[in-house]
Amino acid sequence: MPKTGRPPVIATHHYPLLTRLAHTQPYSSQAELAQAFHAETGITAHPDTFAKALRLAGIVRVKERAKGSFQPPEPRKSYGYTEAHRRQLPEQRYPSCLTDAEWTLVADLFEVSGGRGVPPRHSRRTLLEACCYVVRTGCSWRMLLREFPYWDNVYKTFRRWSAQGKFEQMHDRLRAQWRERVDRDERPSAAVLDSQSTRSSPQGGESGYDAGKKVKGRKRRLIVDTLGLLLA
């Protein structure tokens, strides 16, 4: 003989009654429908059992939003990396090269007038773009592209400008220009500090040990403004 389980509290012949109650009381809660069902049939069912019966009868609750209650969110103004950063103007041979507007802003830092000696063979802008190319791509100095000046000339120029702090001055000016473009003050009033523990090789000089992250190496710290632009 086939096994028969326990008969359901709410049988299939009760589904038309559930459908009629749901249609006549469209704004009633499940508990109110259960009370109306009990008044009609005298059956008291567990809330989960009653919810299952409603689902099997094809009754689905749809929540309607009141008219005018939904306000679309305002578009968020993003200050992150956008297509404006990825653009490449005709005067830029590579994305790492400066635009004409950027070079005009920082040209006085690198151009030296009235000095003695042999006139330079390469323009200061070409040397600066070669330095930016190496820093941006991470290639070795000896693998510098041939369309740039000789790598040894670029390397010595980079060392001299780094000792003079010209790259920091250039970065400060360009950061102020970008902050002004997005309607911010040139000097930020808030900063964000974070640190990172990086592994170093035995030939990398002095190193320590970060017990929290279990990293043997060095800890470097960055300070940026609220736009993510580097401060120190």
Side-chain angles (χ1 to χ4, degrees):
M1 296 179 62
K3 295 182 179 180
T4 58
R6 185 177 180 180
V9 178
I10 303 178
T12 55
H13 62 274
H14 294 124
Y15 292 169
L17 175 60
L18 292 176
T19 303
R20 179 172 60 82
L21 293 176
H23 288 169
T24 56
Q25 305 178 28
Y27 299 105
S28 299
S29 63
Q30 178 179 318
E32 293 172 346
L33 289 178
Q35 293 178 1
F37 180 78
H38 175 73
E40 292 278 348
T41 61
I43 298 175
T44 303
H46 190 272
D48 294 341
T49 303
F50 191 78
K52 181 179 179 180
L54 291 176
R55 185 169 62 254
L56 293 177
I59 302 171
V60 181
R61 178 178 294 276
V62 179
K63 295 182 179 181
E64 294 185 359
R65 183 180 288 111
K67 294 183 179 180
S69 61
F70 176 73
Q71 297 294 336
E74 297 182 359
R76 181 180 178 183
K77 191 173 183 180
S78 176
Y79 297 104
Y81 201 76
T82 62
E83 292 297 331
H85 300 78
R86 300 184 180 94
R87 74 186 189 282
Q88 186 171 343
L89 299 184
E91 66 267 18
Q92 293 178 282
R93 289 181 294 179
Y94 300 99
S96 58
C97 296
L98 272 68
T99 63
D100 291 341
E102 292 172 342
W103 172 247
T104 302
L105 186 65
V106 300
D108 60 299
L109 295 176
F110 301 94
E111 294 286 1
V112 179
S113 59
R116 295 180 297 176
V118 181
R121 296 176 54 186
H122 307 286
S123 65
R124 293 293 183 266
R125 180 173 181 176
T126 303
L127 291 172
L128 177 60
E129 290 179 349
C131 295
C132 293
Y133 180 85
V134 174
V135 173
R136 182 65 181 85
T137 60
C139 69
S140 62
W141 293 101
R142 295 177 183 270
M143 296 181 64
L144 190 63
L145 298 179
R146 293 185 179 274
E147 57 187 281
F148 289 118
Y150 189 59
W151 72 269
D152 188 57
N153 188 4
V154 178
Y155 174 70
K156 291 180 179 178
T157 304
F158 177 82
R159 292 289 301 272
R160 183 173 66 254
W161 285 348
S162 297
Q164 296 172 356
K166 292 186 179 294
F167 292 107
E168 287 79 3
Q169 299 175 31
M170 178 185 69
H171 188 274
D172 292 342
R173 289 191 182 184
L174 297 179
R175 183 185 63 245
Q177 182 194 43
W178 187 261
R179 290 182 60 84
E180 185 180 358
R181 181 180 298 178
V182 297
D183 298 332
R184 295 294 188 93
D185 295 334
E186 294 185 3
R187 296 182 177 275
S189 58
V192 183
L193 171 65
D194 198 2
S195 61
Q196 181 185 34
S197 297
T198 58
R199 290 182 173 87
S200 60
S201 62
Q203 296 80 15
E206 297 181 358
S207 62
Y209 182 72
D210 187 346
K213 298 182 180 178
K214 296 181 174 57
V215 174
K216 183 179 181 181
R218 297 178 181 176
K219 177 168 287 190
R220 55 186 179 185
R221 296 175 174 85
L222 291 179
I223 301 179
V224 299
D225 62 0
T226 55
L227 303 181
L229 302 178
L230 183 65
L231 296 176

